[in-house]
Amino acid sequence: MHKTSVRLATAGLTATLLTTVVWTGPADASALPSTPPPPVSPSEIVGYPRQNVLPVWPDNPADASLPIGAVPYDDIAPKLNVLQAASDRISARVAGRSSGGYDLYAVTVTAPESRQEARRQAEWKQLIEDEPLRARTDPRLLAEYKTPLFVNANIHGNEWEGTDASLRVIEEFATSTDPEVIELLKRNRLVFNVTSNPDGRVAGTRANAAGYDLNRDLTIVSQPETNLIRELIIDTKPIITLDLHGYVNPTLLHPSTPPHNVNNEYDLYIKHGLPNALAIEENLRALGYPETQRARIPFRDDAPGVWDDFPPIYVPSFAMLQSSIPYTIEAPLNPRGNNLTPQERARRVAVNTDVHVVAIKTSLRYIQDHRTEVLHDQAEVYRRGWAGEPLRDIPDGYVPGWGPEHNYHTVFPRSYVIPTGSGQHSEPAAARLVDLLIGSGGRVWRAKHDFRAGGRSYQAGSYVVDLHQPKRGLVNSLLEPGVDITDRVNDLYAGPAAWSQGLTWGATVDTLWDQLPNVQLTRIYDGIAQGELPSANTDLRLDLQDTADLLAVNSLIRKGVRVYRLADGSVAIPATPGSRQLLKDEVRAHGVTFQRAPAGWHGTPLNEIVVGYLGSVEERDTLTDLGFTARAVTAATLAGTLTDEVDVLLVASNVNVANLTAPNRNALQAFLARGGGVVGLGTAGANFGNATSLLTVTATAGPSLASGVANIVNRGGPVTSGAIPHSFISQPVWFTNLGAEVTVEQSYAADPLLAGWWAATGAGRNGQGAAANQASIVRSVSPGGNGVVLFGTAPTYRLHPKGLQPQLGRALLWAAQP
């Protein structure tokens, strides 16, 4: 048996080590979040300032900041270079690159520190997490630790003024001779992500250049910008986190409405979050602008569900699970639009910039005035985690406005086990999940020996997640199923209402409620996918249960290796001269596990597949992550894009077939006439299938906000054989009135929603009861020989449901050659 390991990417380390056994680098860089290295050695820590000459970008007259009156991107680096040259309080660096290739600037503002002082600060920061009781009673730490504030600016590119406010504060604090400012910088560190979305800033778009809303990506980490935000939050360990946005009038600032994430120590947050919000409101009023005389604080002013902090995908929600007091700050005045004069735009930008400056300065003052309390409570979050204490019941009136509608709790298990070996659904999926946990600030260990726990046997090397750890809330939020909040709120700001990487990312995760495995454990800092290749030169089988498996298959096909699809959707590779080394390469690259093929196997030969997609960047990038060649197609471009090279059409957006122009209709008809396959998502896919007479189904959609983790029943076949036992939904769809030619591969269970929100609306025909036991994935072969698969689940949603992506890949392979 040939084995190799894939060690998944480690942030800050260059993946250059390549041997015949271990590759330290990404198995699939697009799909695998990076993980942090082990704690930095004290010898590597240097003092402050840590100054760097930032590369200067050429002037860009097309920068969308210019007509708004905000600071253009190409002015940021020169400004920071000048400030670094003039002040020993400023440290700036290029901390990463955006999706579009722009520099991402991280700036620290603090009083100078010697190397010894910087080392002590780092030791104290780690002590707060590792030994919180000792830290919060250490007189010298309490007196000299520099409490951190983190400012994340401009995450939505066309909400500019957070960057302008950050630069103003940086400049003021760099040059001020005010004794109060000097004292503040002796006792605090301010860390700025100056523009976390330069792509959008320059282009005037909410999303980055790849097309993603970065403030929905903190626990998916599909984008380089969110990877940096995550790293800065974890490394800074901020007392307060500010995420600067626009535009809501009057200025909106957290705390939020319920539902609240069930894993938070909310009593330790709200006792500071609300008073500081009220202080920000008071200081906004002092600006004297008519638009800043009152703030909108959702906790105080809005009904449940209007502006919640439930999913950890947002910067503030993620930061709270790191033991920070977080805020979204929505500046009030929108400077966009063609109906504004340049003077009015400038006025609005000035007001918005002032609003963000007030939020930064007020929050810094709150930390200074409540230093002992906020340090105690940050450490208390970690102490409760180490001790395994239950979440607190918060009494009504704990702060003004606190009532039973705010109480959200979970029960923490003692530990989780992510098996390796025969008990694991997918080794690459397990390694990816472990990397997410570690990269998000969690702690994971590996067992040094075989062991038994919870009535099961586990192999040495299985991952163990001891929930007696400082950031247990974050870890549990990613691993637990979630809760059904349907009966608690009538509305949500946005989905998802449940996410559970533990159930939807494709790995087997076992919950141990009352037990920590009795086995020697070693803390680890990355996930390892153990791939296998049978030693005998024999026909092989690969079960396609992860994106890594699909990547390997598509890579082998491109290299000319003969691959056959079996009836259950797995693939067989006959032993041929020269193929074994190529198989070893795939094991090494992706950590996949080959098995001996069954005796007497027979299958359908697979060719390289080109997929045309009618959809969004989510479909584009999911296809890329699966190793397919993807081609964008629209209803208006079918004649030029749906050419003979396209094998399968992925339909994820609505197409009015009846209204196609003659050339585009002809191109579609030609594609179908030559047997092109179709895979459809949601009602768009079903409508397309009906309109083209490929199959007969009725598709019903749940409410637009319905989302979460679904209970499903896999019925086997080329798409769902061996699939994970849960699914992810976002506006779930189910299929009824199936034609005789339609086969059900997966259906919703009798109780469809495990966790999330799914209420019936209107006449009630779109609730959970209507979907119970109905089809969620179907397939068919049309009279013309077209393979068709329809999904009512959400395999491409924000690149999140990794465990559903191989189902989509298998569907594409089948549809191309049914």
Side-chain angles (χ1 to χ4, degrees), residues 246-271:
Y247 303 98
V248 178
N249 194 358
T251 300
L252 183 146
L253 57 147
H254 285 185
S256 298
T257 69
H260 305 301
N261 190 295
V262 297
N263 290 277
N264 278 313
E265 309 284 349
Y266 223 81
D267 60 314
L268 300 176
Y269 159 69
I270 196 66
K271 64 188 287 190

Side-chain angles (χ1 to χ4, degrees), residues 632-654:
V633 174
T634 68
T637 63
L638 291 174
T641 55
L642 197 61
T643 56
D644 290 347
E645 293 81 15
V646 177
D647 302 289
V648 183
L649 186 61
L650 175 60
V651 181
S653 60
N654 287 312

Side-chain angles (χ1 to χ4, degrees), residues 46 112 118 237 275 316 329 343 466 470 474 539 585 613 638-639 780 784:
V46 298
K237 208 184 289 336
I329 309 292
Q343 294 78 14
D466 181 357
L474 183 283
D539 295 353
D585 293 344
Y613 67 92
L638 291 174
S780 178

